[in-house]
Amino acid sequence: MPDNTTAPQNSTRPTAAWRPPAPLAATARLYQTVTRRYAHWGTRPGPLAPVGNQLRLVRPMTRTWFDAIMPLTVMTVLARGWPEARPAALMIASLVLTHAALTVVNDLMDLDTDAASSEPMRFQRPLVRGVYTRRTAIAEAVLLFLAGSACAFAASLPGGIVLTALALVALQHELPPARTQSRPVISQLAGVIGLVAIIGATGTVPGFDHLAAALPYLLFVAVYMGVAEMLVKDIRDVDNDGATGKNTTATRYGSAAATGYATLAYSAALGAWLWFAFTSPPTAAWAAYAATAVMVCWIGYTLYARAVLHRHFVKGVCVSLHVGSIGVFTTVNVLTLAGQF
């Protein structure tokens, strides 16, 4: 049965009945301060407004943690050392550009849900504010895609083929009639398939000579990002998705239930990480223990968040699940990189 936390207006208990612990409240205030400033980039007239709007459109933070740090870690783990610089840089550039193109498409398809969001990070996006026309946005997406494909083929012919094919398939995640992001369960399955394809394309740079040793880490990435991260992203947007009729796992089953599913996925990812960290000789013990502690603490927090969401709908908790998930994943990847040397 769905719980009653899919949207504030459907909750049987008021949000005000819940008070966050002091450390969580302080973290939330800091996050709100930083993101409000970022959300307003490009909204004030001036010579830097076009730059701010363009940065908001392509999401530099996502390009950093997802399209640069994660692929670099994948290549380093597969190579058991630093990959060759030129093809690695070209592959990362390809992922940055291709994912930016898909982000523009996503924003075009999510105009209504972003406009209905209570978060400045969503409703202040350039396309929601009408900064760019639909034609301009589509043209930019095409140019970004072509540039990304060129970089991928320059890095590796097999990688270019895989990444270009993945980008075309990924459009089905965004566009009707398939639009898999609006299909509960199928969305998570599509996420795993997409992560496997990204790993496959990225892995063509260092090769797969050490695949057996790297496999547990690659499973960690696929489960964490393909399942858990996809769930908490939908939990964050459960209120505006529900208000506009978008069908996701979180809107169908409720935010508390979806958080429980995410906890299971994080636990599976932790198992894969432990398998890698304590059986792969290059991983330094300090890095393995530190990353494990971060993951265990995060799983504990998701259990706490589920308990809160089962009683009340709290938008801040939903946001914290997504933001925290990104932070934990990036931290584990940075520690993994550091632990290889």
Side-chain angles (χ1 to χ4, degrees):
M1 290 288 291
D3 63 35
N4 59 8
T5 60
T6 55
Q9 62 268 29
N10 294 335
S11 181
T12 58
R13 301 187 185 184
T15 300
W18 180 79
R19 292 290 182 271
L24 183 58
T27 304
R29 286 194 295 272
L30 176 62
Y31 172 78
Q32 289 168 358
T33 300
V34 172
T35 55
R36 279 199 185 105
R37 291 176 181 174
Y38 171 63
H40 283 84
W41 285 9
T43 60
R44 296 180 178 85
L48 294 179
V51 177
N53 283 316
Q54 189 58 221
L55 289 172
R56 287 283 285 119
L57 185 66
V58 298
R59 315 263 220 291
M61 290 302 296
T62 304
R63 304 292 76 83
T64 300
W65 71 266
F66 187 84
D67 299 321
I69 294 175
M70 183 192 76
L72 178 61
T73 311
V74 169
M75 288 186 280
T76 301
V77 169
L78 280 168
R80 297 192 126 182
W82 290 115
E84 189 179 347
R86 181 180 177 277
L90 284 168
M91 183 56 70
I92 289 173
S94 171
L95 289 165
V96 167
L97 293 165
T98 303
H99 197 180
L102 293 170
T103 296
V104 174
V105 175
N106 174 265
D107 282 4
L108 282 170
M109 298 304 299
D110 281 350
L111 283 173
D112 290 341
T113 54
D114 286 343
S117 176
S118 59
E119 294 184 64
M121 290 279 285
R122 300 289 201 256
F123 68 74
Q124 291 278 22
R125 283 176 174 167
L127 289 176
V128 177
R129 292 186 286 112
V131 173
Y132 303 107
T133 65
R134 187 178 185 85
R135 178 175 296 181
T136 300
I138 292 173
E140 178 162 345
V142 170
L143 289 174
L144 287 168
F145 169 73
L146 292 174
S149 293
C151 288
F153 279 104
S156 157
L157 177 59
I161 294 171
V162 173
L163 200 60
T164 301
L166 170 63
L168 294 173
V169 172
L171 286 174
Q172 304 307 307
H173 188 65
E174 306 291 348
L175 300 175
R179 207 173 191 219
T180 55
Q181 67 164 271
S182 297
R183 297 174 183 268
V185 182
I186 293 177
S187 175
Q188 283 71 53
L189 178 61
V192 172
I193 293 171
L195 261 296
V196 170
I198 290 172
I199 290 168
T202 305
T204 62
V205 171
F208 297 95
D209 293 343
H210 303 293
L211 178 60
L215 183 60
Y217 169 75
L218 303 181
L219 287 174
F220 158 75
V221 172
V223 174
Y224 192 110
M225 289 302 301
V227 182
E229 172 64 18
M230 294 285 284
L231 284 166
V232 295
K233 177 179 69 68
D234 288 342
I235 292 167
R236 176 178 186 164
D237 292 329
V238 67
D239 52 343
N240 45 291
D241 284 347
T244 56
K246 187 174 179 180
N247 189 24
T248 67
T249 302
T251 57
R252 174 172 291 188
Y253 300 107
S255 53
T259 303
Y261 303 148
T263 300
L264 293 175
Y266 287 125
S267 299
L270 174 61
W273 161 255
L274 291 172
W275 179 16
F276 166 73
F278 295 102
T279 61
S280 181
T283 306
W286 67 268
Y289 285 118
T292 300
V294 169
M295 284 282 292
V296 169
C297 290
W298 176 244
I299 290 170
Y301 177 74
T302 65
L303 291 170
Y304 166 76
R306 183 192 180 281
V308 172
L309 292 171
H310 187 71
R311 295 190 300 271
H312 323 276
F313 177 86
V314 184
K315 178 67 174 180
V317 171
C318 295
V319 174
S320 73
L321 285 167
H322 187 214
V323 175
S325 180
I326 292 169
V328 169
F329 183 72
T330 304
T331 300
V332 172
N333 276 317
V334 169
L335 288 169
T336 303
L337 278 172
Q340 303 303 301
F341 304 99

